[in-house]
Amino acid sequence: MEITCKRRIQFCAGHRVFEHEGKCKNIHGHNYVLWIYARTKELDALGRVIDFSVLKEKIGTWIDENFDHTFIVYKNDTIVEDIVRINKKKPYILDSNPTAENIALHLLYEIIPPLMADTGITVYKLELFETENCAVEVSLA
Ligand SMILES: [Zn+2]
């Protein structure tokens, strides 16, 4: 048996896709919606995968502090230094181009596992929406 719970978290961030062929090369922003999927084989004593508030507290807090209302920028983008200089909140410098795919993979593999380490719960899938119509889904291999 496997049971999944999912939690929605929203954040606003600016980005651009470095060397994009079209309009995404321009600086712009999204009201991102992140769906976090956590699963277990056994419910806790109260009958939950994990309390929804724990997902918000652990992952939502990290998102608020690092992604919300800032600029997510590729470390090799030519505008990194300008963004660091003009943005009041520290921009988030990513090792890869900040597409929805790369942002979601970074969260799933690098950020979320240590945040969830003491819960015994695995976040195995994320969906990241840039708009209501466009989203990516990433899962642990
Ligand atoms: Zn975009």
Side-chain angles (χ1 to χ4, degrees):
M1 181 175 67
E2 245 174 28
I3 309 128
T4 293
C5 75
K6 59 183 195 176
R7 166 104 206 189
R8 184 180 193 267
I9 288 177
Q10 288 177 268
F11 62 98
C12 304
H15 82 154
R16 76 164 182 165
V17 178
F18 183 52
E19 297 186 329
H20 188 271
E21 310 83 359
K23 63 184 182 180
C24 295
K25 68 183 170 217
N26 297 307
I27 290 173
H28 63 281
H30 296 287
N31 291 316
Y32 288 95
V33 173
L34 179 68
W35 277 101
I36 301 160
Y37 291 77
R39 71 180 167 202
T40 187
K41 291 187 184 304
E42 211 172 292
L43 297 178
D44 72 8
L46 299 182
R48 303 165 297 192
V49 175
I50 187 170
D51 197 273
F52 293 114
S53 68
V54 175
L55 294 173
K56 184 183 178 195
E57 182 205 311
K58 290 186 178 292
I59 301 169
T61 299
W62 189 94
I63 296 272
D64 279 350
E65 290 173 355
N66 293 279
F67 278 178
D68 190 50
H69 282 80
T70 193
F71 197 89
I72 303 171
V73 62
Y74 179 31
K75 69 175 183 184
N76 293 339
D77 193 319
T78 52
I79 63 169
V80 167
E81 286 178 20
D82 293 323
I83 293 295
V84 167
R85 183 169 45 80
I86 64 176
N87 214 50
K88 291 282 185 226
K89 184 171 177 176
K90 192 170 163 250
Y92 194 87
I93 300 174
L94 204 62
D95 284 344
S96 52
N97 218 358
T99 58
E101 291 88 337
N102 282 334
I103 292 171
L105 286 167
H106 178 62
L107 289 171
L108 186 67
Y109 281 95
E110 293 170 55
I111 301 303
I112 292 178
L115 296 174
M116 296 298 292
D118 65 348
T119 67
I121 296 296
T122 302
V123 170
Y124 69 97
K125 184 172 98 172
L126 299 175
E127 289 178 323
L128 183 62
F129 287 76
E130 283 192 344
T131 69
E132 287 181 11
N133 301 321
C134 300
V136 298
E137 182 181 312
V138 295
S139 307
L140 293 179

